[in-house]
Short mmCIF file of all heavy atoms in Angstrom, two decimals:
data_model
loop_
_atom_site.label_atom_id
_atom_site.label_comp_id
_atom_site.label_asym_id
_atom_site.label_seq_id
_atom_site.Cartn_x
_atom_site.Cartn_y
_atom_site.Cartn_z
N GLY A 252 116.11 152.40 167.82
CA GLY A 252 116.26 152.33 166.37
C GLY A 252 116.66 153.65 165.73
O GLY A 252 117.10 153.66 164.57
N ALA A 253 116.55 154.74 166.46
CA ALA A 253 116.89 156.05 165.90
C ALA A 253 118.36 156.38 166.07
O ALA A 253 118.92 157.16 165.30
CB ALA A 253 116.05 157.15 166.56
N ARG A 254 119.01 155.82 167.11
CA ARG A 254 120.41 156.12 167.42
C ARG A 254 120.59 157.62 167.64
O ARG A 254 121.15 158.34 166.80
CB ARG A 254 121.36 155.63 166.33
CG ARG A 254 121.20 154.18 165.95
CD ARG A 254 121.35 153.23 167.13
NE ARG A 254 122.67 153.36 167.79
CZ ARG A 254 122.83 153.58 169.09
NH1 ARG A 254 121.77 153.71 169.88
NH2 ARG A 254 124.03 153.69 169.60
N LEU A 255 120.13 158.10 168.78
CA LEU A 255 120.19 159.52 169.11
C LEU A 255 120.63 159.67 170.56
O LEU A 255 120.05 159.08 171.46
CB LEU A 255 118.83 160.18 168.91
CG LEU A 255 118.73 161.67 169.22
CD1 LEU A 255 119.65 162.48 168.31
CD2 LEU A 255 117.28 162.15 169.05
N GLY A 256 121.67 160.46 170.77
CA GLY A 256 122.16 160.71 172.12
C GLY A 256 122.59 162.15 172.26
O GLY A 256 122.65 162.91 171.28
N TYR A 257 122.89 162.55 173.50
CA TYR A 257 123.29 163.94 173.71
C TYR A 257 124.15 164.06 174.94
O TYR A 257 124.29 163.12 175.74
CB TYR A 257 122.06 164.85 173.82
CG TYR A 257 121.13 164.57 174.98
CD1 TYR A 257 121.25 165.24 176.19
CD2 TYR A 257 120.09 163.65 174.85
CE1 TYR A 257 120.39 165.00 177.24
CE2 TYR A 257 119.22 163.40 175.90
CZ TYR A 257 119.38 164.07 177.10
OH TYR A 257 118.52 163.83 178.14
N LEU A 258 124.72 165.23 175.08
CA LEU A 258 125.59 165.56 176.20
C LEU A 258 125.20 166.92 176.73
O LEU A 258 124.85 167.82 175.95
CB LEU A 258 127.05 165.54 175.74
CG LEU A 258 128.17 166.08 176.63
CD1 LEU A 258 129.47 165.37 176.29
CD2 LEU A 258 128.36 167.60 176.42
N VAL A 259 125.25 167.09 178.03
CA VAL A 259 125.07 168.39 178.67
C VAL A 259 126.38 168.73 179.38
O VAL A 259 126.90 167.91 180.16
CB VAL A 259 123.91 168.37 179.68
CG1 VAL A 259 123.79 169.73 180.38
CG2 VAL A 259 122.60 168.03 178.98
N GLY A 260 126.93 169.89 179.07
CA GLY A 260 128.22 170.25 179.65
C GLY A 260 128.51 171.72 179.51
O GLY A 260 127.67 172.50 179.01
N PRO A 261 129.68 172.15 179.93
CA PRO A 261 130.06 173.56 179.80
C PRO A 261 130.09 174.00 178.34
O PRO A 261 130.37 173.19 177.44
CB PRO A 261 131.47 173.60 180.41
CG PRO A 261 131.58 172.37 181.25
CD PRO A 261 130.72 171.34 180.59
N THR A 262 129.81 175.26 178.11
CA THR A 262 129.80 175.77 176.73
C THR A 262 131.15 175.59 176.07
O THR A 262 131.22 175.32 174.86
CB THR A 262 129.40 177.25 176.70
OG1 THR A 262 130.28 177.99 177.57
CG2 THR A 262 127.98 177.44 177.19
N TRP A 263 132.24 175.72 176.83
CA TRP A 263 133.56 175.59 176.21
C TRP A 263 133.83 174.16 175.74
O TRP A 263 134.55 173.96 174.76
CB TRP A 263 134.66 176.07 177.17
CG TRP A 263 134.69 175.41 178.52
CD1 TRP A 263 134.06 175.83 179.65
CD2 TRP A 263 135.41 174.22 178.88
NE1 TRP A 263 134.34 174.98 180.70
CE2 TRP A 263 135.16 173.99 180.26
CE3 TRP A 263 136.24 173.36 178.18
CZ2 TRP A 263 135.72 172.91 180.94
CZ3 TRP A 263 136.79 172.27 178.85
CH2 TRP A 263 136.53 172.05 180.22
N VAL A 264 133.23 173.18 176.40
CA VAL A 264 133.34 171.80 175.93
C VAL A 264 132.52 171.61 174.66
O VAL A 264 132.99 171.05 173.66
CB VAL A 264 132.89 170.80 177.01
CG1 VAL A 264 132.78 169.39 176.42
CG2 VAL A 264 133.85 170.81 178.18
N VAL A 265 131.27 172.07 174.69
CA VAL A 265 130.39 171.92 173.52
C VAL A 265 130.97 172.63 172.30
O VAL A 265 130.91 172.10 171.18
CB VAL A 265 128.98 172.45 173.85
CG1 VAL A 265 128.09 172.44 172.61
CG2 VAL A 265 128.34 171.62 174.96
N ASP A 266 131.55 173.79 172.50
CA ASP A 266 132.18 174.52 171.38
C ASP A 266 133.27 173.67 170.72
O ASP A 266 133.38 173.64 169.48
CB ASP A 266 132.77 175.83 171.87
CG ASP A 266 131.72 176.88 172.21
OD1 ASP A 266 130.56 176.70 171.80
OD2 ASP A 266 132.07 177.86 172.88
N GLU A 267 134.08 173.00 171.52
CA GLU A 267 135.15 172.18 170.97
C GLU A 267 134.60 170.94 170.27
O GLU A 267 135.12 170.52 169.23
CB GLU A 267 136.13 171.77 172.08
CG GLU A 267 136.85 172.94 172.75
CD GLU A 267 137.65 173.78 171.76
OE1 GLU A 267 138.17 173.22 170.79
OE2 GLU A 267 137.75 175.00 171.98
N LEU A 268 133.56 170.34 170.83
CA LEU A 268 132.96 169.16 170.19
C LEU A 268 132.39 169.53 168.83
O LEU A 268 132.49 168.74 167.86
CB LEU A 268 131.86 168.58 171.09
CG LEU A 268 132.28 168.10 172.48
CD1 LEU A 268 131.08 167.54 173.22
CD2 LEU A 268 133.39 167.06 172.40
N ASP A 269 131.78 170.70 168.72
CA ASP A 269 131.21 171.14 167.45
C ASP A 269 132.27 171.29 166.37
O ASP A 269 131.99 171.16 165.17
CB ASP A 269 130.46 172.47 167.63
CG ASP A 269 129.09 172.28 168.29
OD1 ASP A 269 128.54 171.18 168.17
OD2 ASP A 269 128.60 173.25 168.90
N LYS A 270 133.51 171.57 166.77
CA LYS A 270 134.60 171.70 165.80
C LYS A 270 135.04 170.33 165.27
O LYS A 270 135.51 170.22 164.14
CB LYS A 270 135.81 172.39 166.44
CG LYS A 270 135.58 173.81 166.90
CD LYS A 270 136.82 174.32 167.62
CE LYS A 270 136.61 175.70 168.23
NZ LYS A 270 137.80 176.15 169.00
N VAL A 271 134.89 169.31 166.10
CA VAL A 271 135.43 167.99 165.77
C VAL A 271 134.43 167.13 165.01
O VAL A 271 134.80 166.37 164.10
CB VAL A 271 135.89 167.28 167.06
CG1 VAL A 271 136.28 165.82 166.78
CG2 VAL A 271 137.06 168.04 167.68
N VAL A 272 133.15 167.23 165.35
CA VAL A 272 132.15 166.36 164.74
C VAL A 272 132.02 166.67 163.25
O VAL A 272 132.25 167.80 162.81
CB VAL A 272 130.79 166.52 165.46
CG1 VAL A 272 130.11 167.83 165.09
CG2 VAL A 272 129.88 165.34 165.21
N LEU A 273 131.69 165.67 162.47
CA LEU A 273 131.58 165.85 161.02
C LEU A 273 130.42 166.80 160.68
O LEU A 273 129.40 166.82 161.38
CB LEU A 273 131.36 164.50 160.34
CG LEU A 273 132.52 163.51 160.43
CD1 LEU A 273 132.10 162.17 159.83
CD2 LEU A 273 133.75 164.06 159.71
N PRO A 274 130.54 167.54 159.60
CA PRO A 274 129.45 168.44 159.19
C PRO A 274 128.18 167.66 158.89
O PRO A 274 128.22 166.56 158.33
CB PRO A 274 129.99 169.11 157.93
CG PRO A 274 131.48 168.95 158.01
CD PRO A 274 131.71 167.66 158.72
N TYR A 275 127.05 168.22 159.28
CA TYR A 275 125.73 167.63 159.00
C TYR A 275 125.65 166.18 159.49
O TYR A 275 125.07 165.32 158.83
CB TYR A 275 125.43 167.70 157.50
CG TYR A 275 125.53 169.08 156.92
CD1 TYR A 275 126.58 169.41 156.07
CD2 TYR A 275 124.60 170.06 157.22
CE1 TYR A 275 126.68 170.69 155.52
CE2 TYR A 275 124.69 171.33 156.69
CZ TYR A 275 125.74 171.64 155.85
OH TYR A 275 125.83 172.91 155.31
N HIS A 276 126.24 165.91 160.64
CA HIS A 276 126.30 164.53 161.11
C HIS A 276 124.95 164.00 161.56
O HIS A 276 124.74 162.79 161.57
CB HIS A 276 127.31 164.40 162.26
CG HIS A 276 126.87 165.07 163.52
ND1 HIS A 276 126.72 166.43 163.62
CD2 HIS A 276 126.54 164.56 164.75
CE1 HIS A 276 126.32 166.75 164.84
NE2 HIS A 276 126.20 165.63 165.55
N LEU A 277 124.03 164.89 161.91
CA LEU A 277 122.73 164.45 162.43
C LEU A 277 121.66 164.71 161.38
O LEU A 277 121.34 165.86 161.08
CB LEU A 277 122.41 165.22 163.72
CG LEU A 277 121.52 164.50 164.75
CD1 LEU A 277 122.18 163.22 165.24
CD2 LEU A 277 121.23 165.42 165.91
N ASP A 278 121.11 163.65 160.81
CA ASP A 278 120.20 163.81 159.66
C ASP A 278 118.86 164.41 160.08
O ASP A 278 118.52 164.48 161.27
CB ASP A 278 119.99 162.47 158.95
CG ASP A 278 119.32 161.44 159.84
OD1 ASP A 278 118.15 161.63 160.20
OD2 ASP A 278 119.98 160.42 160.16
N ALA A 279 118.10 164.83 159.10
CA ALA A 279 116.84 165.52 159.35
C ALA A 279 115.84 164.63 160.09
O ALA A 279 115.15 165.09 161.02
CB ALA A 279 116.24 166.00 158.03
N ALA A 280 115.75 163.37 159.71
CA ALA A 280 114.79 162.48 160.34
C ALA A 280 115.09 162.31 161.83
O ALA A 280 114.18 162.29 162.67
CB ALA A 280 114.80 161.12 159.64
N LYS A 281 116.35 162.17 162.16
CA LYS A 281 116.73 161.99 163.55
C LYS A 281 116.42 163.23 164.38
O LYS A 281 115.96 163.14 165.53
CB LYS A 281 118.22 161.66 163.62
CG LYS A 281 118.67 161.04 164.90
CD LYS A 281 120.00 160.34 164.72
CE LYS A 281 119.90 159.25 163.68
NZ LYS A 281 121.14 158.52 163.49
N GLN A 282 116.66 164.39 163.81
CA GLN A 282 116.36 165.63 164.53
C GLN A 282 114.86 165.75 164.79
O GLN A 282 114.43 166.14 165.88
CB GLN A 282 116.86 166.83 163.74
CG GLN A 282 118.38 166.90 163.65
CD GLN A 282 118.87 168.17 162.98
OE1 GLN A 282 118.32 169.25 163.21
NE2 GLN A 282 119.88 168.06 162.13
N ILE A 283 114.06 165.39 163.80
CA ILE A 283 112.61 165.42 163.98
C ILE A 283 112.17 164.42 165.05
O ILE A 283 111.37 164.73 165.94
CB ILE A 283 111.90 165.12 162.65
CG1 ILE A 283 112.13 166.25 161.66
CG2 ILE A 283 110.40 164.89 162.87
CD1 ILE A 283 111.68 165.92 160.25
N ALA A 284 112.72 163.21 164.98
CA ALA A 284 112.35 162.16 165.94
C ALA A 284 112.61 162.61 167.37
O ALA A 284 111.77 162.44 168.26
CB ALA A 284 113.11 160.88 165.62
N GLY A 285 113.78 163.16 167.60
CA GLY A 285 114.13 163.59 168.95
C GLY A 285 113.30 164.77 169.42
O GLY A 285 112.83 164.80 170.57
N ARG A 286 113.11 165.74 168.55
CA ARG A 286 112.34 166.93 168.92
C ARG A 286 110.90 166.55 169.28
O ARG A 286 110.33 167.05 170.26
CB ARG A 286 112.36 167.93 167.77
CG ARG A 286 111.55 169.18 168.02
CD ARG A 286 111.82 170.22 166.95
NE ARG A 286 111.70 169.69 165.59
CZ ARG A 286 110.55 169.48 164.96
NH1 ARG A 286 109.40 169.70 165.59
NH2 ARG A 286 110.53 169.03 163.73
N LEU A 287 110.30 165.65 168.50
CA LEU A 287 108.93 165.23 168.78
C LEU A 287 108.84 164.38 170.04
O LEU A 287 107.85 164.44 170.78
CB LEU A 287 108.36 164.47 167.59
CG LEU A 287 108.14 165.28 166.31
CD1 LEU A 287 107.66 164.37 165.18
CD2 LEU A 287 107.14 166.41 166.55
N ALA A 288 109.86 163.58 170.30
CA ALA A 288 109.84 162.74 171.49
C ALA A 288 109.73 163.57 172.76
O ALA A 288 109.10 163.17 173.74
CB ALA A 288 111.10 161.87 171.55
N LEU A 289 110.32 164.76 172.73
CA LEU A 289 110.31 165.62 173.91
C LEU A 289 108.91 166.13 174.26
O LEU A 289 108.71 166.70 175.33
CB LEU A 289 111.27 166.79 173.70
CG LEU A 289 112.75 166.39 173.58
CD1 LEU A 289 113.59 167.59 173.16
CD2 LEU A 289 113.26 165.79 174.88
N ARG A 290 107.95 165.92 173.38
CA ARG A 290 106.57 166.27 173.70
C ARG A 290 105.92 165.24 174.62
O ARG A 290 104.82 165.47 175.14
CB ARG A 290 105.73 166.36 172.41
CG ARG A 290 106.16 167.44 171.44
CD ARG A 290 105.26 167.40 170.22
NE ARG A 290 105.63 168.37 169.20
CZ ARG A 290 105.04 168.48 168.01
NH1 ARG A 290 104.01 167.68 167.72
NH2 ARG A 290 105.45 169.38 167.14
N PHE A 291 106.57 164.10 174.80
CA PHE A 291 105.95 162.99 175.49
C PHE A 291 106.68 162.66 176.80
O PHE A 291 106.87 161.50 177.15
CB PHE A 291 105.91 161.76 174.57
CG PHE A 291 105.07 161.96 173.34
CD1 PHE A 291 105.65 162.45 172.18
CD2 PHE A 291 103.71 161.72 173.35
CE1 PHE A 291 104.89 162.66 171.03
CE2 PHE A 291 102.94 161.93 172.22
CZ PHE A 291 103.53 162.40 171.06
N VAL A 292 107.05 163.68 177.52
CA VAL A 292 107.76 163.49 178.78
C VAL A 292 106.90 162.70 179.77
O VAL A 292 107.40 161.80 180.47
CB VAL A 292 108.17 164.85 179.38
CG1 VAL A 292 108.77 164.65 180.78
CG2 VAL A 292 109.15 165.56 178.47
N ASP A 293 105.61 163.01 179.85
CA ASP A 293 104.74 162.30 180.80
C ASP A 293 104.67 160.81 180.49
O ASP A 293 104.74 159.97 181.41
CB ASP A 293 103.33 162.90 180.77
CG ASP A 293 103.28 164.29 181.38
OD1 ASP A 293 104.25 164.67 182.06
OD2 ASP A 293 102.28 165.00 181.14
N ALA A 294 104.56 160.47 179.21
CA ALA A 294 104.51 159.06 178.83
C ALA A 294 105.83 158.37 179.17
O ALA A 294 105.85 157.22 179.64
CB ALA A 294 104.21 158.93 177.33
N MET A 295 106.94 159.07 178.93
CA MET A 295 108.25 158.52 179.26
C MET A 295 108.36 158.25 180.75
O MET A 295 108.81 157.18 181.18
CB MET A 295 109.35 159.47 178.80
CG MET A 295 110.77 159.01 179.11
SD MET A 295 111.37 159.53 180.74
CE MET A 295 111.70 161.26 180.41
N GLU A 296 107.93 159.20 181.56
CA GLU A 296 108.05 159.03 183.01
C GLU A 296 107.16 157.90 183.52
O GLU A 296 107.53 157.20 184.47
CB GLU A 296 107.72 160.35 183.70
CG GLU A 296 108.78 161.43 183.45
CD GLU A 296 108.45 162.74 184.12
OE1 GLU A 296 107.29 162.92 184.55
OE2 GLU A 296 109.35 163.60 184.21
N GLU A 297 105.99 157.71 182.90
CA GLU A 297 105.14 156.58 183.28
C GLU A 297 105.85 155.26 183.00
O GLU A 297 105.78 154.32 183.82
CB GLU A 297 103.82 156.64 182.50
CG GLU A 297 102.88 157.74 182.95
CD GLU A 297 101.60 157.77 182.13
OE1 GLU A 297 101.43 156.86 181.28
OE2 GLU A 297 100.79 158.69 182.32
N ARG A 298 106.52 155.17 181.87
CA ARG A 298 107.24 153.95 181.52
C ARG A 298 108.41 153.71 182.48
O ARG A 298 108.68 152.57 182.86
CB ARG A 298 107.74 154.03 180.08
CG ARG A 298 106.59 154.05 179.08
CD ARG A 298 107.09 154.27 177.68
NE ARG A 298 105.96 154.35 176.75
CZ ARG A 298 106.04 154.07 175.47
NH1 ARG A 298 107.20 153.72 174.95
NH2 ARG A 298 104.98 154.15 174.69
N VAL A 299 109.09 154.78 182.84
CA VAL A 299 110.18 154.66 183.79
C VAL A 299 109.68 154.07 185.11
O VAL A 299 110.28 153.15 185.67
CB VAL A 299 110.86 156.02 184.02
CG1 VAL A 299 111.80 155.96 185.23
CG2 VAL A 299 111.63 156.47 182.79
N GLN A 300 108.56 154.60 185.60
CA GLN A 300 108.02 154.11 186.87
C GLN A 300 107.61 152.64 186.77
O GLN A 300 107.81 151.86 187.70
CB GLN A 300 106.84 154.97 187.31
CG GLN A 300 107.23 156.38 187.68
CD GLN A 300 108.34 156.42 188.72
OE1 GLN A 300 108.29 155.73 189.74
NE2 GLN A 300 109.37 157.22 188.45
N PHE A 301 107.04 152.26 185.63
CA PHE A 301 106.68 150.85 185.44
C PHE A 301 107.92 149.97 185.46
O PHE A 301 107.95 148.92 186.14
CB PHE A 301 105.93 150.66 184.13
CG PHE A 301 105.72 149.22 183.76
CD1 PHE A 301 104.67 148.49 184.31
CD2 PHE A 301 106.60 148.56 182.91
CE1 PHE A 301 104.49 147.15 184.00
CE2 PHE A 301 106.43 147.22 182.60
CZ PHE A 301 105.36 146.52 183.15
N ILE A 302 108.95 150.37 184.74
CA ILE A 302 110.16 149.55 184.65
C ILE A 302 110.85 149.46 186.01
O ILE A 302 111.34 148.40 186.40
CB ILE A 302 111.10 150.11 183.57
CG1 ILE A 302 110.48 149.86 182.18
CG2 ILE A 302 112.49 149.47 183.66
CD1 ILE A 302 111.19 150.55 181.05
N VAL A 303 110.89 150.57 186.75
CA VAL A 303 111.47 150.54 188.08
C VAL A 303 110.70 149.58 188.98
O VAL A 303 111.28 148.79 189.73
CB VAL A 303 111.51 151.96 188.70
CG1 VAL A 303 111.83 151.90 190.18
CG2 VAL A 303 112.52 152.83 187.96
N SER A 304 109.37 149.62 188.89
CA SER A 304 108.55 148.72 189.69
C SER A 304 108.81 147.26 189.31
O SER A 304 108.96 146.39 190.19
CB SER A 304 107.07 149.05 189.50
OG SER A 304 106.24 148.13 190.17
N GLU A 305 108.89 146.98 188.02
CA GLU A 305 109.18 145.62 187.57
C GLU A 305 110.59 145.19 187.95
O GLU A 305 110.83 144.03 188.28
CB GLU A 305 108.99 145.52 186.05
CG GLU A 305 107.54 145.44 185.61
CD GLU A 305 106.90 144.13 186.03
OE1 GLU A 305 107.22 143.07 185.46
OE2 GLU A 305 106.08 144.15 186.97
N ARG A 306 111.53 146.12 187.89
CA ARG A 306 112.91 145.81 188.30
C ARG A 306 112.94 145.34 189.74
O ARG A 306 113.60 144.35 190.07
CB ARG A 306 113.77 147.06 188.13
CG ARG A 306 115.25 146.86 188.52
CD ARG A 306 115.95 148.21 188.53
NE ARG A 306 115.54 149.03 189.67
CZ ARG A 306 115.66 150.36 189.72
NH1 ARG A 306 116.15 151.03 188.69
NH2 ARG A 306 115.28 151.02 190.80
N GLU A 307 112.20 146.04 190.61
CA GLU A 307 112.18 145.66 192.01
C GLU A 307 111.46 144.33 192.22
O GLU A 307 111.86 143.52 193.07
CB GLU A 307 111.53 146.77 192.84
CG GLU A 307 112.28 148.10 192.79
CD GLU A 307 113.76 147.94 193.10
OE1 GLU A 307 114.08 147.40 194.18
OE2 GLU A 307 114.61 148.32 192.26
N ARG A 308 110.43 144.09 191.43
CA ARG A 308 109.73 142.80 191.52
C ARG A 308 110.65 141.66 191.09
O ARG A 308 110.71 140.60 191.76
CB ARG A 308 108.47 142.82 190.64
CG ARG A 308 107.67 141.52 190.70
CD ARG A 308 106.36 141.65 189.94
NE ARG A 308 106.52 141.63 188.50
CZ ARG A 308 106.50 140.52 187.75
NH1 ARG A 308 106.35 139.33 188.33
NH2 ARG A 308 106.61 140.59 186.43
N LEU A 309 111.36 141.87 189.99
CA LEU A 309 112.31 140.86 189.52
C LEU A 309 113.40 140.60 190.55
O LEU A 309 113.74 139.45 190.85
CB LEU A 309 112.94 141.29 188.20
CG LEU A 309 112.15 141.09 186.92
CD1 LEU A 309 112.89 141.70 185.74
CD2 LEU A 309 111.89 139.61 186.67
N SER A 310 113.97 141.67 191.10
CA SER A 310 115.05 141.52 192.07
C SER A 310 114.60 140.71 193.27
O SER A 310 115.32 139.83 193.76
CB SER A 310 115.54 142.90 192.52
OG SER A 310 116.15 143.60 191.46
N ALA A 311 113.40 141.01 193.76
CA ALA A 311 112.88 140.29 194.92
C ALA A 311 112.66 138.82 194.61
O ALA A 311 113.02 137.93 195.41
CB ALA A 311 111.58 140.94 195.40
N ALA A 312 112.09 138.54 193.44
CA ALA A 312 111.83 137.15 193.07
C ALA A 312 113.13 136.38 192.85
O ALA A 312 113.25 135.22 193.27
CB ALA A 312 110.97 137.11 191.80
N MET A 313 114.11 137.00 192.21
CA MET A 313 115.39 136.35 191.98
C MET A 313 116.12 136.12 193.29
O MET A 313 116.82 135.12 193.47
CB MET A 313 116.24 137.19 191.03
CG MET A 313 115.66 137.28 189.63
SD MET A 313 116.36 138.63 188.66
CE MET A 313 118.05 138.09 188.48
N GLY A 314 115.94 137.04 194.25
CA GLY A 314 116.58 136.89 195.55
C GLY A 314 116.07 135.71 196.34
O GLY A 314 116.73 135.25 197.28
N ARG A 315 114.88 135.21 195.97
CA ARG A 315 114.33 134.03 196.66
C ARG A 315 114.87 132.73 196.08
O ARG A 315 114.59 131.65 196.60
CB ARG A 315 112.81 134.06 196.59
CG ARG A 315 112.19 135.18 197.43
CD ARG A 315 110.68 135.04 197.56
NE ARG A 315 109.99 135.36 196.32
CZ ARG A 315 109.56 136.58 196.00
NH1 ARG A 315 109.76 137.59 196.84
NH2 ARG A 315 108.92 136.80 194.86
N LEU A 316 115.63 132.83 194.98
CA LEU A 316 116.29 131.67 194.40
C LEU A 316 117.74 131.64 194.91
O LEU A 316 118.17 132.51 195.66
CB LEU A 316 116.25 131.75 192.88
CG LEU A 316 114.87 131.86 192.24
CD1 LEU A 316 114.98 132.10 190.74
CD2 LEU A 316 114.06 130.61 192.53
#
Side-chain angles (χ1 to χ4, degrees):
R254 308 303 301 127
L255 180 62
Y257 62 93
L258 169 153
V259 177
T262 56
W263 55 269
V264 170
V265 174
D266 288 345
E267 298 301 327
L268 300 181
D269 283 336
K270 297 175 186 176
V271 172
V272 75
L273 294 174
Y275 305 109
H276 69 294
L277 208 61
D278 63 66
K281 198 161 300 182
Q282 293 186 40
I283 293 170
R286 178 170 50 78
L287 293 176
L289 295 171
R290 297 179 182 177
F291 297 91
V292 174
D293 290 345
M295 179 272 284
E296 291 179 346
E297 288 179 6
R298 294 174 182 205
V299 168
Q300 293 307 312
F301 171 82
I302 290 171
V303 168
S304 175
E305 282 292 288
R306 181 189 72 202
E307 298 309 305
R308 181 174 74 90
L309 279 175
S310 294
M313 294 163 66
R315 291 191 287 270
L316 303 173

